[in-house]
Amino acid sequence: MHPTYPPEPWRIKMVEPIRLPTPTERREALLDAGYNTSLLRAADVFIDLYTDSGTNAMSDRQWSDMMIGDEAYAGSRSFYRLENTIQQYYGYPHVIPTHQGRGAENILSRILVKPGSHIPGNMYFTTTRTHQELNGGTFHDIIIDEAHDPADEHPFKGNVDLAKLDRLIKDVGAEDIPYVSLAATVNMAGGQPISLANLAETRELTAAHGIPIILDAARAVENAWFIRQREPGHADHSIARILAEICDLTDGACMSAKKDSYANIGGWLAVRDPDLAERARNLVVVYEGLHTYGGMAGRDMEAVARGIEESVEHDNIRARVEQVAYLGDRLIAAGVPVMRPLGGHAVCLDAAATLEHVPRTEFPAQTLAAAIYLDSATRTAERGAVSAGRDPVTGDHRYPKLELVRLTIPRRVYTRSHIDFVADSVINVHNARATIASGLTFTHEPSVLRFFQGRFTPADRMVQSRT
Ligand code: F0G
């Protein structure tokens, strides 16, 4: 247990009312949503832990900077502020703004991935892999095996398995590997960090073959925090310094500013190679907007720039990660199976362990997320087989080892009593797990990113209606 709850380094200046719907309202809302928490209306949600993406509370400073946003179509002053800030904290010389992270992934994948390409990565992320596949590439998971075991306590479960990477390079040839895609932290593994030592070793291997590394920097500040806490030699270093060291070991980055940077929208692609930057600027005008706004308003770029500065402040990142740990520690103390060690942005429930009696074909994580909503109007996200989708070659469901429900904590939004309310509900559902008689089955399955819009019905009801 953490001995004390870290007091938030902010106080509340403006409030947004939220309401707990009645049990009947919750049942109706869940039916309307096809048992998919992604399809719930936010007004039917009390505590929204669906994502930490774009759900941040901005600071008074961010809001005041938005007032001075320069909305010039071309050459906005706000762009140059953002560019300077990214260069200062992330260290990449060429910055291409995008509307959010997947905009950057689209541009990068269109430039670098072609049919026959192979992209190794430390576990997949939904949108990242989809862009790679849409351009004809094949993703290869090269994360260490420990990352696929929810109970393993390895401090850096985001690390690359160098033997896996080496084997892949030998098997497919370096010329068909346009880049290695490395996330810090690894979302689908529950927010697990990569160590600087492992990143350096990976860099050594890829550099020997002329393969660049592209960082998914969405939660790299959280990764920097874990390096400071867990990796020998960094305990006295600032978060800004560690973040710069992470980026130094990579050739470019895709960024969703909706995460670390405390913004509600925004993103960027940044690279060291001027030719790559030129090609990215040519594409950004097609898909996002001019290369000096990329789909963001001037005021959004101001909010992101200020958010980057705030994100590396010690007290901010400490409170952020320790709030996640507080929730995780309460669940662990009550015997709820969760992904270990606790990650940076979320506590992930091991749904396969909690709902042992629900077969994987009935999506235990989707089922558990629905049960938690029914209990307390807390919205969580499925991160298991539904998110993993189907194999593009065989068409079969992909069943990842991790069948998780993600309780994702928005930054600076909820207080300790909200977190306690969630913990009480999850413990309640866990203790009553035997009453969940059946899992879920698809009634509507979209072909791409099906977890967003898929619809379900209880599997036992499906069996009854067929007979
Ligand atoms: N990379 C990672 C690691 C992410 O977590 C996300 C988004 C993206 C890229 C895409 O960025 O949403 O700005 O287009 N993750 C959100 C989530 C959606 O809930 O985990 P985006």
Side-chain angles (χ1 to χ4, degrees), residues 260-283:
D260 271 349
S261 308
Y262 295 111
N264 298 126
I265 193 71
W268 44 266
L269 170 65
V271 293
R272 299 190 194 285
D273 176 356
D275 294 333
L276 189 57
E278 172 67 15
R279 293 167 71 194
R281 280 192 205 100
N282 288 341
L283 275 190

Side-chain angles (χ1 to χ4, degrees), residues 36 124 126 129 188 349-352 358-369 381-391 395-406 440-442 445-452 454 456:
N36 186 351
Y124 84 100
T126 54
R129 184 176 66 188
M188 298 304 274
L349 309 179
D350 182 354
V358 173
R360 292 295 299 272
T361 50
E362 293 180 9
F363 309 121
Q366 191 78 30
T367 307
L368 186 58
E382 194 267 4
R383 293 276 104 155
V386 175
S387 293
R390 289 181 184 268
D391 184 302
D396 294 336
H397 291 300
R398 290 188 264 220
Y399 290 108
K401 289 212 182 88
L402 301 179
E403 178 72 10
L404 307 176
V405 170
R406 195 182 68 175
L440 295 167
T441 185
F442 272 107
E445 186 189 342
S447 58
V448 181
L449 300 178
R450 62 185 185 174
F451 54 96
F452 281 132
F456 302 82

Side-chain angles (χ1 to χ4, degrees), residues 121-404:
N122 55 349
M123 202 173 274
Y124 84 100
F125 183 69
T126 54
T127 58
T128 318
R129 184 176 66 188
T130 300
H131 281 297
Q132 292 160 359
E133 290 177 350
L134 287 173
N135 286 283
T138 306
F139 172 81
H140 297 267
D141 189 359
I142 50 149
I143 205 165
I144 56 172
D145 286 340
E146 287 88 337
H148 293 282
D149 176 358
D152 196 290
E153 292 280 3
H154 192 295
F156 290 101
K157 281 167 111 173
N159 279 358
V160 169
D161 183 326
L162 292 157
K164 284 186 195 167
L165 178 57
D166 194 41
R167 209 174 313 126
L168 183 74
I169 296 172
K170 292 205 170 92
D171 285 353
V172 304
E175 54 293 346
D176 282 331
I177 302 182
Y179 61 98
V180 174
S181 168
L182 290 188
T185 58
V186 180
N187 188 354
M188 298 304 274
Q192 303 294 332
I194 181 170
S195 71
L196 268 176
N198 182 262
L199 189 52
E201 282 172 356
T202 307
R203 172 73 160 178
E204 212 171 297
L205 177 57
T206 53
H209 294 276
I211 303 170
I213 294 178
I214 302 292
L215 179 72
D216 183 330
R219 301 182 184 84
V221 176
E222 289 164 15
N223 201 115
W225 175 262
F226 286 121
I227 288 172
R228 191 177 190 277
Q229 297 298 107
R230 297 178 187 170
E231 191 164 357
H234 299 280
D236 299 329
H237 297 171
S238 71
I239 294 302
R241 173 175 167 174
I242 300 170
L243 176 66
E245 285 180 42
I246 295 171
C247 297
D248 267 357
L249 291 165
T250 68
D251 300 280
C254 289
M255 177 66 180
S256 170
K258 302 170 74 172
K259 279 78 169 182
D260 271 349
S261 308
Y262 295 111
N264 298 126
I265 193 71
W268 44 266
L269 170 65
V271 293
R272 299 190 194 285
D273 176 356
D275 294 333
L276 189 57
E278 172 67 15
R279 293 167 71 194
R281 280 192 205 100
N282 288 341
L283 275 190
V284 84
V285 293
V286 180
Y287 291 103
E288 302 281 321
L290 199 70
H291 62 281
T292 54
Y293 74 87
M296 281 184 279
R299 54 180 167 271
D300 299 332
M301 294 191 278
E302 293 285 340
V304 173
R306 174 70 79 165
I308 291 172
E309 291 166 11
E310 291 180 359
S311 72
V312 296
E313 283 172 16
H314 185 89
D315 287 351
N316 272 333
I317 183 64
R318 172 174 183 263
R320 185 319 175 255
V321 178
E322 293 197 353
Q323 187 177 45
V324 173
Y326 174 79
L327 173 60
D329 285 340
R330 275 215 53 201
L331 298 180
I332 291 167
V336 178
V338 304
M339 180 88 186
R340 313 285 282 267
L342 295 166
H345 67 305
V347 177
C348 291
L349 309 179
D350 182 354
T354 290
L355 297 185
E356 258 178 336
H357 56 291
V358 173
R360 292 295 299 272
T361 50
E362 293 180 9
F363 309 121
Q366 191 78 30
T367 307
L368 186 58
I372 292 169
Y373 174 75
L374 270 186
D375 188 66
S376 63
T378 298
R379 168 152 68 174
T380 60
E382 194 267 4
R383 293 276 104 155
V386 175
S387 293
R390 289 181 184 268
D391 184 302
V393 178
T394 65
D396 294 336
H397 291 300
R398 290 188 264 220
Y399 290 108
K401 289 212 182 88
L402 301 179
E403 178 72 10
L404 307 176

Side-chain angles (χ1 to χ4, degrees), residues 63-105:
W63 280 109
S64 63
D65 284 359
M66 285 181 81
M67 292 302 292
I68 54 165
D70 177 2
E71 304 304 340
Y73 187 91
S76 158
R77 187 186 62 241
S78 303
F79 168 71
Y80 292 107
R81 175 182 177 191
L82 175 62
E83 182 184 52
N84 274 333
T85 310
I86 294 166
Q87 288 165 341
Q88 182 185 340
Y89 288 96
Y90 291 84
Y92 307 108
H94 306 290
V95 175
I96 294 97
T98 59
H99 76 287
Q100 61 182 79
R102 70 198 70 180
E105 291 170 350

